[in-house]
Amino acid sequence: MASLQSLSFSSPVSYYHQQQPRTHSGFISSPLHRSASSTFCGQTLHLPHTQRASLKVNGRKSRPVIMMVKPTIQFIQGTDEQTIPDVRLTKSRDGTNGVAIFRFEQPSVFDASGDVGDITGFYMIDEEGVLQSVDVNAKFVNGKPAGIEAKYIMRSPREWDRFMRFMERYSNQNGLQFIKK
């Protein structure tokens, strides 16, 4: 993009526009100049002023409200997991896929599962939406639940990037650190 910017600033068309008076809206008020060294020829575009929608509460204007979703992990939809996991990441050499393994020791879902319902999957929820997996295994010691291992598989660079955005938000919220081994 740097080369495109430097080309546009050195073209006769952009130089001509830099010398022209501008209206209060920032648009050029005169027609476009046709340059001998440029093949671009256009017309002036006049756009109407846009109105921003504003909410009125009790007769007063209020600012739009932006709601942020706290990044969280759930095994039962609607019930946040309170235990912070140990997360292991692997990525293929070519970067096309990867695996994240979450290990929870004594997760709080075991305390709530009798009251709320059964474990239905592994859900990672943040402001962008939900990442989910059904690859969830419980670990039992002497017949009692001791831990959960959940696996999330990323099959494309796009899925990897999305997962890393979730993990950045989740780790910032819960004080996790990334340690490269």
Side-chain angles (χ1 to χ4, degrees):
M1 279 206 285
S3 62
L4 289 176
Q5 290 176 346
S6 64
L7 288 174
S8 67
F9 289 125
S10 64
S11 74
V13 174
S14 62
Y15 177 77
Y16 177 80
H17 289 301
Q18 290 172 356
Q19 306 301 319
Q20 296 300 312
R22 296 189 179 268
T23 63
H24 67 280
S25 63
F27 292 106
I28 299 168
S29 60
S30 63
L32 290 176
H33 172 71
R34 184 179 188 117
S35 170
S37 61
S38 174
T39 59
F40 177 78
C41 180
Q43 297 178 1
T44 305
L45 178 63
H46 295 282
L47 299 174
H49 292 287
T50 58
Q51 298 285 329
R52 290 186 184 231
S54 61
L55 300 173
K56 288 189 178 183
V57 178
N58 297 332
R60 295 186 308 181
K61 286 185 180 180
S62 65
R63 296 182 182 188
V65 177
I66 298 172
M67 296 181 65
M68 301 295 286
V69 175
K70 175 185 160 192
T72 187
I73 292 176
Q74 299 177 352
F75 292 106
I76 300 170
Q77 290 181 333
T79 305
D80 293 350
E81 177 56 49
Q82 302 303 316
T83 306
I84 306 301
D86 177 41
V87 183
R88 310 257 177 196
L89 293 173
T90 59
K91 190 174 184 181
S92 65
R93 289 183 190 258
D94 62 359
T96 58
N97 56 44
V99 176
I101 299 172
F102 292 77
R103 290 195 176 110
F104 297 83
E105 296 297 325
Q106 299 297 323
S108 62
V109 71
F110 290 145
D111 300 333
S113 63
D115 301 331
V116 184
D118 294 331
I119 294 173
T120 57
F122 178 63
Y123 306 94
M124 296 172 279
I125 303 166
D126 67 0
E127 61 204 40
E128 288 185 56
V130 179
L131 300 172
Q132 66 183 27
S133 173
V134 292
D135 194 349
V136 181
N137 296 303
K139 178 177 144 188
F140 291 85
V141 175
N142 295 329
K144 295 184 180 182
I148 292 180
E149 182 178 285
K151 191 182 294 185
Y152 181 71
I153 299 172
M154 297 148 281
R155 293 182 174 88
S156 71
R158 183 177 179 187
E159 287 179 1
W160 176 270
D161 291 341
R162 170 64 179 100
F163 172 77
M164 291 307 288
R165 288 191 306 272
F166 167 80
M167 281 308 297
E168 183 176 346
R169 292 178 185 118
Y170 185 78
S171 61
N172 288 340
Q173 181 75 29
N174 295 294
L176 294 175
Q177 280 186 320
F178 180 73
I179 301 171
K180 190 173 183 177
K181 291 184 180 182

